[in-house]
Amino acid sequence: MIKNEEAEDLEAIIIDQFHEVHLETTIPVNAISKMKHLKLLILDDVNSKGSLNYLSNELRYLSWERYPSTCLPSNFHPDNLIELILHHSNLKQLWKGTKHLPNLIHLDLSYSKNLIEMPDLTGVPRLRSLFLIKCINITRIHPSIGILRELAYLVLEDCKNLFHNLNIIFGLKSLEMLNLSGCSKLLNKRLIKKPKEAEHLENVDKNTSVIQLSTSSSVYAIGSLLSLKTLKLGGNKFVRLPTTIKELSNLHHLNLQHCKQLKYLPELPTTKKNKSGAYYGDLYIFNCPNLSEMEHCYHMVFSWMIQIFKAFLQSSLSLDQLKIVIPGTQIPRWFSEQNVGRSISMDLSPVKEDPNWMGVACCSLFVAHDDPTNLNNNFGSIGYNFKNMQVLHNSYRMLPIFLNNDLVTDEIDHLFMVFFPREIISLYRNVYEDKMGFTTGTFEHPKGLHLEVKNCGYRLVFKEDLQQLNLNMMFSENSSSKKCKLLSSDSPYIIH
């Protein structure tokens, strides 16, 4: 037991109840109030009692799961605080007015269901990341977020009642990640700078600058976020993406899963190398049943994939990863080795010493069936398992989409394509085994669903493949001019 005089001199407390299955800890928060010199406070999954009227102003790191108060103490002014993490808190408002936290870099209030609004952030000029995942009752973010010039990560996933003008974030020139998945109300509003821009829109008051659009509206100004690398818009109700998305030359990751009203895919940006000196690309278009003009969609997606391949080929840099999920009923013929079912064998012995061998491109055709007999409480996923290889990191092999029966209501076939660079295969391969193969495994069947892998295929990719690769080859049979069913022979989207 810590005595009162000892408590006042404590500088660090860490209680991780999550890993202590047989213990249940209750913290008297009034004891925390007496610790004037705390610099580190981590309380994970602990109960608390009493009222909190003071927190040490010497704190540098504060992580308190289930923080009990509705607001931070008014006398809390920690000039050296760097990270503030309050998951599952009882907060309604983080603080009142303006609080000066000149060194705060990371702020995470995720899963705080009582949080209504974010306060004035003028006093946190160095903030680089703001996470508000599943703060389901938050309705507004203070406009001062627009002056946070160092903000790089903004995650508002499943803030389903957030209803605010998105233009406040379009001046964030340092923003690298924007996650608006599940923010359907947020994406229905934009600022019209000139009244004449609204002349062709219905139900618009021409005398006001802020208008309410239907769910078919686009976030047109998103093209101004030139530093953006990751954009997640899943689970929203827009009909089309803005054409300005092609201006996002740093964009490597685009997630559009469960956008059930999405009808049209615009031209995708030309990808640059990332700061680590490598190329990578992730594109997830899953469970978008209203997506039309599929020939155009395939043209956009595979053109994007080809330009990444060719940029990779023309440089001395590596290709970290390339993963694509799109609707499709047939594996493209470019994947020269194909098999019915979820497994296929592979022999690397002819190519392992070939300096022109670049890696393996894999493709699987899968569908999620309705299965009310499956009562597993899982979200589910599928991914690639290679025979005679150590287990690949999930970031390479797993299907990175969210699966559950509440969202997946249409049994639509999809393609899951992954490129595994030679370096990754060599790193994880058993050096004594050349005969490999892979299985597209269903690691977990999500509740109410059954994941079926219908077909799979691969191609051993060489430099000359990438040099010659075009859409005609992607959809031709044995590199002839005959098109497969994905694109007809007279399609205007075939590049000859």
Side-chain angles (χ1 to χ4, degrees), residues 302-322:
F302 287 104
S303 294
W304 176 80
M305 183 187 80
I306 289 170
Q307 62 90 8
I308 291 179
F309 270 139
K310 292 195 171 183
F312 163 52
L313 179 65
Q314 294 168 6
S315 74
S316 58
L317 304 175
S318 62
L319 178 58
D320 278 356
Q321 68 179 38
L322 180 61

Side-chain angles (χ1 to χ4, degrees), residues 49-85:
K49 64 179 182 180
S51 58
L52 182 72
N53 53 44
Y54 180 84
L55 278 171
S56 169
N57 285 323
E58 296 182 20
L59 276 167
R60 297 181 180 180
Y61 185 96
L62 171 57
S63 177
W64 190 336
E65 188 174 16
R66 302 210 303 260
Y67 175 80
S69 302
T70 59
C71 187
L72 288 175
S74 58
N75 55 5
F76 184 49
H77 302 290
D79 290 344
N80 294 315
L81 188 66
I82 296 173
E83 293 198 23
L84 177 58
I85 303 172

Side-chain angles (χ1 to χ4, degrees), residues 268-319:
L268 298 174
T270 300
T271 305
K272 293 180 180 179
K273 63 183 178 182
N274 61 21
K275 288 183 179 180
S276 64
Y279 289 94
Y280 72 94
D282 299 318
L283 178 61
Y284 310 131
I285 306 172
F286 175 76
N287 193 29
C288 301
N290 284 314
L291 194 62
S292 59
E293 301 184 35
M294 289 306 299
E295 292 180 353
H296 174 79
C297 176
Y298 292 131
H299 172 82
M300 293 295 103
V301 171
F302 287 104
S303 294
W304 176 80
M305 183 187 80
I306 289 170
Q307 62 90 8
I308 291 179
F309 270 139
K310 292 195 171 183
F312 163 52
L313 179 65
Q314 294 168 6
S315 74
S316 58
L317 304 175
S318 62
L319 178 58

Side-chain angles (χ1 to χ4, degrees), residues 86-124:
L86 303 175
H87 287 177
H88 299 281
S89 76
N90 196 40
L91 288 167
K92 291 185 177 179
Q93 186 179 15
L94 185 58
W95 60 69
K96 297 178 181 179
T98 302
K99 190 175 288 289
H100 295 281
L101 303 174
N103 291 298
L104 186 64
I105 292 176
H106 178 65
L107 176 57
D108 188 348
L109 308 179
S110 297
Y111 315 107
S112 297
K113 295 183 178 181
N114 295 323
L115 188 67
I116 298 174
E117 63 179 356
M118 284 297 295
D120 190 338
L121 297 172
T122 305
V124 287

Side-chain angles (χ1 to χ4, degrees), residues 342-439:
R342 64 193 187 101
S343 299
I344 192 169
S345 60
M346 180 189 311
D347 186 359
L348 296 181
S349 56
V351 302
K352 64 178 183 178
E353 304 297 335
D354 190 334
N356 293 316
W357 176 52
M358 307 296 287
V360 180
C362 302
C363 184
S364 296
L365 175 66
F366 74 96
V367 64
H369 296 294
D370 184 45
D371 183 6
T373 65
N374 177 19
L375 301 179
N376 292 334
N377 192 24
N378 301 319
F379 293 130
S381 189
I382 66 174
Y384 291 101
N385 268 340
F386 282 84
K387 181 182 178 182
N388 294 325
M389 283 183 66
Q390 301 173 46
V391 176
L392 285 170
H393 191 277
N394 285 347
S395 63
Y396 285 103
R397 66 192 182 101
M398 294 292 290
L399 176 68
I401 57 177
F402 182 74
L403 296 168
N404 70 23
N405 63 335
D406 293 330
L407 295 173
V408 184
T409 56
D410 302 278
E411 295 191 5
I412 302 173
D413 289 350
H414 287 82
L415 299 174
F416 175 29
M417 293 173 280
V418 182
F419 177 72
F420 295 95
R422 176 180 184 154
E423 295 82 2
I424 295 299
I425 297 292
S426 300
L427 178 64
Y428 287 92
R429 181 176 64 88
N430 186 328
V431 295
Y432 302 106
E433 299 285 349
D434 293 324
K435 293 185 178 180
M436 299 174 53
F438 67 83
T439 298

Side-chain angles (χ1 to χ4, degrees), residues 120-144:
D120 190 338
L121 297 172
T122 305
V124 287
R126 296 186 60 194
L127 194 68
R128 280 189 50 81
S129 57
L130 175 59
F131 286 72
L132 299 173
I133 301 170
K134 291 192 176 181
C135 293
I136 58 176
N137 284 309
I138 191 170
T139 58
R140 68 183 296 271
I141 295 177
H142 197 277
S144 58

